[in-house]
Amino acid sequence: MLQMDLDIGDFCSNWAHCDLFSAYLARMVSHNRLDSLLFSNLYSSALNELLETVFRVHGNSGKLECSVRRQGGLDRIELVFPADEDTFAVYREAIDKLSGKDAEKLYLEALFTEDEPDASLGLLELGVDYGARLAIDRAGDGRMCLVAELTLEDENE
Amino acid sequence: MIAENSTQSFQWTYNENDQEFALHGSLRPQKAEELSKCISALDQSVSNVSGKFYVNVRRLVRMNNVAFHAIAGKILDLVRGRSDLDVHVTTSSVVGWATRKFAVLETMSEKITVSEYDSEFYPGQSFVEDSEFIHVLRTQTKLTWKHEKDLLREHGLKPGMQVADICCGIGDFAVLLQKEFSPDRLVALDHSKSSLDYARQVAADFGIKGIDYVFGDAADMLLEDDQFDFVTCRHSLQVFDRPELILKELFRICKPGGRIYVTNEKNSHCLGEPRGESIQWTYNEVAKLWHHFDMDIEIGPKSRRLLLEGGFEDVTIGSFMVTSTDGDPQGFADIIASWKNLFAGKMASERGDDAAFVERFAKGFDDHIFAALHPKGYAGWPIWVASGRKPL
Ligand SMILES: C[S@@+](CC[C@H](N)C(=O)[O-])C[C@H]1O[C@@H](n2cnc3c(N)ncnc32)[C@H](O)[C@@H]1O
């Protein structure tokens, strides 16, 4: 397991943090995979979308914790970050969309909307395109927890 | 054209002859406006095009949804706004997310097609990935290793180093490296999935751990800069149509002060006696045949120049000859037999050679085999080894 903690304000002081952290963590977790480079590129893409979502949608102040672990073929990413009710609702809504029958249609709509893409597009992508299992919960201290479980390598390969 | 900020850099190029707009690098902007220059370049490129417009994202390594939304939206606008225009998007299998992500464009318009660029990756790929050829690589490595084991030391390889073998083929060289030099890290990269499958299977069967076999394009690797003490690339600059691109990448992933090590052939210098003349004629023709397919099987002695022009210092070059008297004449003969199969078979027929030519061409290989197995004969296959240091 690997964990990173930092103040949400520090994290959000620079957009490039999303890219840097996802690249760094991807490198750390990509050892002993079928193909470390393919894996790390996919992992970084998925984690980057999660971090970009948190960058855009989060509560006022507090800590951001990111922990990642591997359980066999499954990779689990857990993000805990400040979230008021409105913030939580954004994530709730995305997860509701994903649990419905027309998740794929909603994802494509979000992807090709004429307007600015919605902040939850990344979550929809993870659910539909990456087949990730997403879950959320309140963390008690004014924060929320977002968990993504990913299977990035095809065992049959 | 390069747009750069602290972490991401991407470029675009437009090739008018091919009506192809290519994106390259890492694309994770915060706002779509950051792409405005790129989008207007795309607009401008397409303005003179009718028929099929190609968008090439093969070398686009990272892309977030902001960028996808902007670029995919632009492509949709184009095909919807212009009845005379179709768009084809080319992705790469090296970048895991790309094909899946771009494929959704096909569902949005019939005028958009998406395909993964994998075969015809370079001109000689179908020959090099031939299963027959995979087989010959094994015997080749077995015979070259006798010489290279010591040469590698002379060129600076030591135990415990961070090592990469680029264009590793079926990975047998990496296995030998692992056993002989116990590197601290060993990455072996190739662009042939079948070769890598084979390599992983061999490593598993022999209980060899610690070799990281990865799929990739040697001319544009996902490996990071300045990682390796020693980077090898054997018999491969000669099968790729633009060896300088691979060299640039070998340079990039090598640590400052580290070395790269390349081996290459000059096939026209293969020799044998008896029947020397026929042998020589055939191997001169081999060089022309490879040239026809845009590969330079004569690179060997040019390696020094390639390394010097690639920015390496302390360049050393030498050569060795695998011969029928090294202790395994049959192995030598087997190699020549599979060359004959490939060169006088698939390659010659694809070039359209006539029967008379093929007969004479094949005869030189038979004569080479004859020389190798002849009790008083001698047959040789020369190989050039060059290495250079990346400046500190
Ligand atoms: C002649 S084989 C040599 C393989 C191995 N080094 C050996 O000596 O046995 C050339 C290898 O280069 C690989 N190759 C050629 N171009 C490549 C590229 N751009 N990226 C990765 N691999 C490439 C081919 O797939 C093939 O396995």
PDB file of all heavy atoms in Angstrom, chain B residues 155-156 158 161 226 228-230 251 254-260 312-314 388-392:
ATOM      1  N   HIS B 155      32.849  -3.599 -23.236  1.00  0.00           N
ATOM      2  CA  HIS B 155      32.111  -2.374 -23.558  1.00  0.00           C
ATOM      3  C   HIS B 155      31.470  -1.743 -22.322  1.00  0.00           C
ATOM      4  O   HIS B 155      30.720  -0.786 -22.451  1.00  0.00           O
ATOM      5  CB  HIS B 155      31.061  -2.650 -24.633  1.00  0.00           C
ATOM      6  CG  HIS B 155      31.642  -2.777 -26.017  1.00  0.00           C
ATOM      7  ND1 HIS B 155      31.730  -1.741 -26.903  1.00  0.00           N
ATOM      8  CD2 HIS B 155      32.217  -3.845 -26.633  1.00  0.00           C
ATOM      9  CE1 HIS B 155      32.310  -2.154 -28.033  1.00  0.00           C
ATOM     10  NE2 HIS B 155      32.609  -3.433 -27.894  1.00  0.00           N
ATOM     11  N   GLY B 156      31.741  -2.305 -21.162  1.00  0.00           N
ATOM     12  CA  GLY B 156      31.360  -1.596 -19.941  1.00  0.00           C
ATOM     13  C   GLY B 156      30.227  -2.181 -19.126  1.00  0.00           C
ATOM     14  O   GLY B 156      29.830  -1.594 -18.119  1.00  0.00           O
ATOM     15  N   LYS B 158      28.555  -4.207 -16.320  1.00  0.00           N
ATOM     16  CA  LYS B 158      28.986  -4.806 -15.049  1.00  0.00           C
ATOM     17  C   LYS B 158      27.764  -5.350 -14.317  1.00  0.00           C
ATOM     18  O   LYS B 158      26.649  -4.904 -14.560  1.00  0.00           O
ATOM     19  CB  LYS B 158      29.628  -3.732 -14.156  1.00  0.00           C
ATOM     20  CG  LYS B 158      30.890  -3.123 -14.710  1.00  0.00           C
ATOM     21  CD  LYS B 158      31.529  -2.233 -13.633  1.00  0.00           C
ATOM     22  CE  LYS B 158      32.653  -1.392 -14.185  1.00  0.00           C
ATOM     23  NZ  LYS B 158      32.192  -0.203 -14.923  1.00  0.00           N
ATOM     24  N   MET B 161      23.899  -3.542 -12.679  1.00  0.00           N
ATOM     25  CA  MET B 161      23.515  -2.291 -13.364  1.00  0.00           C
ATOM     26  C   MET B 161      22.016  -2.266 -13.688  1.00  0.00           C
ATOM     27  O   MET B 161      21.336  -3.275 -13.632  1.00  0.00           O
ATOM     28  CB  MET B 161      24.298  -2.165 -14.676  1.00  0.00           C
ATOM     29  CG  MET B 161      25.726  -1.707 -14.504  1.00  0.00           C
ATOM     30  SD  MET B 161      26.492  -1.514 -16.135  1.00  0.00           S
ATOM     31  CE  MET B 161      27.802  -0.361 -15.730  1.00  0.00           C
ATOM     32  N   ASP B 226      16.858   9.110 -18.775  1.00  0.00           N
ATOM     33  CA  ASP B 226      18.004   8.955 -17.876  1.00  0.00           C
ATOM     34  C   ASP B 226      17.851   7.820 -16.862  1.00  0.00           C
ATOM     35  O   ASP B 226      18.076   8.017 -15.665  1.00  0.00           O
ATOM     36  CB  ASP B 226      18.234  10.264 -17.087  1.00  0.00           C
ATOM     37  CG  ASP B 226      18.405  11.461 -18.000  1.00  0.00           C
ATOM     38  OD1 ASP B 226      18.847  11.264 -19.138  1.00  0.00           O
ATOM     39  OD2 ASP B 226      18.075  12.587 -17.561  1.00  0.00           O
ATOM     40  N   PHE B 228      18.926   4.234 -17.423  1.00  0.00           N
ATOM     41  CA  PHE B 228      19.702   2.997 -17.519  1.00  0.00           C
ATOM     42  C   PHE B 228      21.205   3.253 -17.636  1.00  0.00           C
ATOM     43  O   PHE B 228      21.637   4.204 -18.273  1.00  0.00           O
ATOM     44  CB  PHE B 228      19.219   2.165 -18.717  1.00  0.00           C
ATOM     45  CG  PHE B 228      17.781   1.757 -18.599  1.00  0.00           C
ATOM     46  CD1 PHE B 228      16.790   2.487 -19.235  1.00  0.00           C
ATOM     47  CD2 PHE B 228      17.415   0.672 -17.812  1.00  0.00           C
ATOM     48  CE1 PHE B 228      15.450   2.137 -19.097  1.00  0.00           C
ATOM     49  CE2 PHE B 228      16.080   0.315 -17.678  1.00  0.00           C
ATOM     50  CZ  PHE B 228      15.096   1.043 -18.324  1.00  0.00           C
ATOM     51  N   ASP B 229      21.969   2.352 -16.988  1.00  0.00           N
ATOM     52  CA  ASP B 229      23.425   2.425 -17.096  1.00  0.00           C
ATOM     53  C   ASP B 229      23.908   1.846 -18.416  1.00  0.00           C
ATOM     54  O   ASP B 229      24.952   2.224 -18.924  1.00  0.00           O
ATOM     55  CB  ASP B 229      24.088   1.604 -15.973  1.00  0.00           C
ATOM     56  CG  ASP B 229      23.647   2.054 -14.606  1.00  0.00           C
ATOM     57  OD1 ASP B 229      23.925   3.211 -14.257  1.00  0.00           O
ATOM     58  OD2 ASP B 229      23.005   1.245 -13.884  1.00  0.00           O
ATOM     59  N   PHE B 230      23.156   0.888 -18.934  1.00  0.00           N
ATOM     60  CA  PHE B 230      23.603   0.165 -20.115  1.00  0.00           C
ATOM     61  C   PHE B 230      22.390  -0.211 -20.948  1.00  0.00           C
ATOM     62  O   PHE B 230      21.469  -0.858 -20.456  1.00  0.00           O
ATOM     63  CB  PHE B 230      24.370  -1.089 -19.666  1.00  0.00           C
ATOM     64  CG  PHE B 230      25.339  -1.627 -20.686  1.00  0.00           C
ATOM     65  CD1 PHE B 230      26.613  -1.077 -20.820  1.00  0.00           C
ATOM     66  CD2 PHE B 230      24.986  -2.677 -21.509  1.00  0.00           C
ATOM     67  CE1 PHE B 230      27.515  -1.576 -21.756  1.00  0.00           C
ATOM     68  CE2 PHE B 230      25.882  -3.185 -22.456  1.00  0.00           C
ATOM     69  CZ  PHE B 230      27.153  -2.636 -22.572  1.00  0.00           C
ATOM     70  N   PHE B 251      19.461   7.024 -26.549  1.00  0.00           N
ATOM     71  CA  PHE B 251      20.184   8.121 -25.903  1.00  0.00           C
ATOM     72  C   PHE B 251      19.360   8.680 -24.739  1.00  0.00           C
ATOM     73  O   PHE B 251      19.849   8.885 -23.643  1.00  0.00           O
ATOM     74  CB  PHE B 251      20.453   9.211 -26.945  1.00  0.00           C
ATOM     75  CG  PHE B 251      21.314  10.355 -26.456  1.00  0.00           C
ATOM     76  CD1 PHE B 251      22.680  10.326 -26.635  1.00  0.00           C
ATOM     77  CD2 PHE B 251      20.751  11.456 -25.831  1.00  0.00           C
ATOM     78  CE1 PHE B 251      23.484  11.380 -26.191  1.00  0.00           C
ATOM     79  CE2 PHE B 251      21.536  12.498 -25.380  1.00  0.00           C
ATOM     80  CZ  PHE B 251      22.917  12.468 -25.567  1.00  0.00           C
ATOM     81  N   CYS B 254      19.076   6.444 -21.595  1.00  0.00           N
ATOM     82  CA  CYS B 254      20.369   6.136 -20.979  1.00  0.00           C
ATOM     83  C   CYS B 254      20.727   7.233 -19.973  1.00  0.00           C
ATOM     84  O   CYS B 254      20.454   8.409 -20.197  1.00  0.00           O
ATOM     85  CB  CYS B 254      21.421   6.073 -22.095  1.00  0.00           C
ATOM     86  SG  CYS B 254      23.042   5.555 -21.555  1.00  0.00           S
ATOM     87  N   LYS B 255      21.313   6.815 -18.845  1.00  0.00           N
ATOM     88  CA  LYS B 255      21.771   7.818 -17.872  1.00  0.00           C
ATOM     89  C   LYS B 255      22.960   8.588 -18.441  1.00  0.00           C
ATOM     90  O   LYS B 255      23.769   7.983 -19.152  1.00  0.00           O
ATOM     91  CB  LYS B 255      22.281   7.127 -16.601  1.00  0.00           C
ATOM     92  CG  LYS B 255      21.234   6.547 -15.703  1.00  0.00           C
ATOM     93  CD  LYS B 255      21.922   5.995 -14.451  1.00  0.00           C
ATOM     94  CE  LYS B 255      20.981   5.116 -13.663  1.00  0.00           C
ATOM     95  NZ  LYS B 255      21.668   4.346 -12.618  1.00  0.00           N
ATOM     96  N   PRO B 256      23.119   9.843 -18.084  1.00  0.00           N
ATOM     97  CA  PRO B 256      24.359  10.528 -18.462  1.00  0.00           C
ATOM     98  C   PRO B 256      25.530   9.733 -17.878  1.00  0.00           C
ATOM     99  O   PRO B 256      25.490   9.341 -16.717  1.00  0.00           O
ATOM    100  CB  PRO B 256      24.235  11.895 -17.789  1.00  0.00           C
ATOM    101  CG  PRO B 256      22.757  12.094 -17.604  1.00  0.00           C
ATOM    102  CD  PRO B 256      22.180  10.718 -17.368  1.00  0.00           C
ATOM    103  N   GLY B 257      26.523   9.481 -18.690  1.00  0.00           N
ATOM    104  CA  GLY B 257      27.648   8.657 -18.238  1.00  0.00           C
ATOM    105  C   GLY B 257      27.444   7.171 -18.504  1.00  0.00           C
ATOM    106  O   GLY B 257      28.376   6.381 -18.399  1.00  0.00           O
ATOM    107  N   GLY B 258      26.208   6.778 -18.824  1.00  0.00           N
ATOM    108  CA  GLY B 258      25.934   5.383 -19.158  1.00  0.00           C
ATOM    109  C   GLY B 258      26.295   5.102 -20.609  1.00  0.00           C
ATOM    110  O   GLY B 258      26.650   6.013 -21.358  1.00  0.00           O
ATOM    111  N   ARG B 259      26.179   3.828 -20.993  1.00  0.00           N
ATOM    112  CA  ARG B 259      26.576   3.490 -22.372  1.00  0.00           C
ATOM    113  C   ARG B 259      25.454   2.781 -23.118  1.00  0.00           C
ATOM    114  O   ARG B 259      24.641   2.080 -22.514  1.00  0.00           O
ATOM    115  CB  ARG B 259      27.798   2.566 -22.362  1.00  0.00           C
ATOM    116  CG  ARG B 259      29.077   3.212 -21.884  1.00  0.00           C
ATOM    117  CD  ARG B 259      30.273   2.301 -22.109  1.00  0.00           C
ATOM    118  NE  ARG B 259      30.746   2.316 -23.493  1.00  0.00           N
ATOM    119  CZ  ARG B 259      31.573   3.213 -23.991  1.00  0.00           C
ATOM    120  NH1 ARG B 259      32.048   4.183 -23.231  1.00  0.00           N
ATOM    121  NH2 ARG B 259      31.957   3.151 -25.261  1.00  0.00           N
ATOM    122  N   ILE B 260      25.431   2.988 -24.408  1.00  0.00           N
ATOM    123  CA  ILE B 260      24.579   2.150 -25.237  1.00  0.00           C
ATOM    124  C   ILE B 260      25.451   1.246 -26.100  1.00  0.00           C
ATOM    125  O   ILE B 260      26.579   1.590 -26.444  1.00  0.00           O
ATOM    126  CB  ILE B 260      23.566   2.930 -26.089  1.00  0.00           C
ATOM    127  CG1 ILE B 260      24.260   3.600 -27.257  1.00  0.00           C
ATOM    128  CG2 ILE B 260      22.794   3.955 -25.294  1.00  0.00           C
ATOM    129  CD1 ILE B 260      23.336   3.657 -28.440  1.00  0.00           C
ATOM    130  N   PHE B 312      26.862  10.609 -28.979  1.00  0.00           N
ATOM    131  CA  PHE B 312      27.606   9.803 -28.006  1.00  0.00           C
ATOM    132  C   PHE B 312      29.091  10.138 -28.060  1.00  0.00           C
ATOM    133  O   PHE B 312      29.601  10.606 -29.079  1.00  0.00           O
ATOM    134  CB  PHE B 312      27.406   8.307 -28.291  1.00  0.00           C
ATOM    135  CG  PHE B 312      25.999   7.859 -28.037  1.00  0.00           C
ATOM    136  CD1 PHE B 312      25.062   7.849 -29.056  1.00  0.00           C
ATOM    137  CD2 PHE B 312      25.609   7.473 -26.759  1.00  0.00           C
ATOM    138  CE1 PHE B 312      23.756   7.458 -28.820  1.00  0.00           C
ATOM    139  CE2 PHE B 312      24.303   7.076 -26.516  1.00  0.00           C
ATOM    140  CZ  PHE B 312      23.374   7.070 -27.547  1.00  0.00           C
ATOM    141  N   GLU B 313      29.773   9.911 -26.931  1.00  0.00           N
ATOM    142  CA  GLU B 313      31.217  10.126 -26.908  1.00  0.00           C
ATOM    143  C   GLU B 313      31.896   8.816 -26.531  1.00  0.00           C
ATOM    144  O   GLU B 313      31.232   7.832 -26.197  1.00  0.00           O
ATOM    145  CB  GLU B 313      31.567  11.243 -25.910  1.00  0.00           C
ATOM    146  CG  GLU B 313      31.047  10.982 -24.505  1.00  0.00           C
ATOM    147  CD  GLU B 313      31.261  12.139 -23.555  1.00  0.00           C
ATOM    148  OE1 GLU B 313      31.334  13.292 -24.010  1.00  0.00           O
ATOM    149  OE2 GLU B 313      31.361  11.878 -22.343  1.00  0.00           O
ATOM    150  N   ASP B 314      33.215   8.823 -26.591  1.00  0.00           N
ATOM    151  CA  ASP B 314      33.986   7.625 -26.288  1.00  0.00           C
ATOM    152  C   ASP B 314      33.424   6.412 -27.059  1.00  0.00           C
ATOM    153  O   ASP B 314      33.190   5.344 -26.498  1.00  0.00           O
ATOM    154  CB  ASP B 314      33.951   7.362 -24.771  1.00  0.00           C
ATOM    155  CG  ASP B 314      34.885   6.234 -24.366  1.00  0.00           C
ATOM    156  OD1 ASP B 314      35.880   6.017 -25.077  1.00  0.00           O
ATOM    157  OD2 ASP B 314      34.584   5.545 -23.367  1.00  0.00           O
ATOM    158  N   GLY B 388      28.815   3.542 -27.127  1.00  0.00           N
ATOM    159  CA  GLY B 388      29.178   4.934 -26.895  1.00  0.00           C
ATOM    160  C   GLY B 388      28.597   5.409 -25.582  1.00  0.00           C
ATOM    161  O   GLY B 388      27.641   4.824 -25.075  1.00  0.00           O
ATOM    162  N   ARG B 389      29.204   6.451 -25.048  1.00  0.00           N
ATOM    163  CA  ARG B 389      28.765   6.962 -23.746  1.00  0.00           C
ATOM    164  C   ARG B 389      27.927   8.213 -23.936  1.00  0.00           C
ATOM    165  O   ARG B 389      28.242   9.068 -24.771  1.00  0.00           O
ATOM    166  CB  ARG B 389      30.000   7.303 -22.905  1.00  0.00           C
ATOM    167  CG  ARG B 389      29.682   7.765 -21.486  1.00  0.00           C
ATOM    168  CD  ARG B 389      30.956   7.936 -20.670  1.00  0.00           C
ATOM    169  NE  ARG B 389      31.797   8.949 -21.269  1.00  0.00           N
ATOM    170  CZ  ARG B 389      33.140   8.897 -21.297  1.00  0.00           C
ATOM    171  NH1 ARG B 389      33.789   7.895 -20.750  1.00  0.00           N
ATOM    172  NH2 ARG B 389      33.830   9.863 -21.869  1.00  0.00           N
ATOM    173  N   LYS B 390      26.864   8.304 -23.160  1.00  0.00           N
ATOM    174  CA  LYS B 390      26.076   9.539 -23.167  1.00  0.00           C
ATOM    175  C   LYS B 390      26.815  10.560 -22.298  1.00  0.00           C
ATOM    176  O   LYS B 390      27.146  10.254 -21.150  1.00  0.00           O
ATOM    177  CB  LYS B 390      24.686   9.259 -22.592  1.00  0.00           C
ATOM    178  CG  LYS B 390      23.815  10.495 -22.445  1.00  0.00           C
ATOM    179  CD  LYS B 390      22.384  10.096 -22.173  1.00  0.00           C
ATOM    180  CE  LYS B 390      21.515  11.249 -21.763  1.00  0.00           C
ATOM    181  NZ  LYS B 390      20.116  10.852 -21.562  1.00  0.00           N
ATOM    182  N   PRO B 391      27.078  11.733 -22.824  1.00  0.00           N
ATOM    183  CA  PRO B 391      27.861  12.713 -22.056  1.00  0.00           C
ATOM    184  C   PRO B 391      27.196  13.055 -20.725  1.00  0.00           C
ATOM    185  O   PRO B 391      25.967  13.037 -20.622  1.00  0.00           O
ATOM    186  CB  PRO B 391      27.873  13.949 -22.964  1.00  0.00           C
ATOM    187  CG  PRO B 391      27.576  13.437 -24.325  1.00  0.00           C
ATOM    188  CD  PRO B 391      26.708  12.226 -24.157  1.00  0.00           C
ATOM    189  N   LEU B 392      28.037  13.338 -19.734  1.00  0.00           N
ATOM    190  CA  LEU B 392      27.525  13.702 -18.401  1.00  0.00           C
ATOM    191  C   LEU B 392      26.836  15.053 -18.453  1.00  0.00           C
ATOM    192  O   LEU B 392      27.200  15.907 -19.235  1.00  0.00           O
ATOM    193  CB  LEU B 392      28.677  13.755 -17.408  1.00  0.00           C
ATOM    194  CG  LEU B 392      29.144  12.400 -16.864  1.00  0.00           C
ATOM    195  CD1 LEU B 392      30.415  12.565 -16.046  1.00  0.00           C
ATOM    196  CD2 LEU B 392      28.052  11.731 -16.011  1.00  0.00           C
TER     197      LEU B 392
END
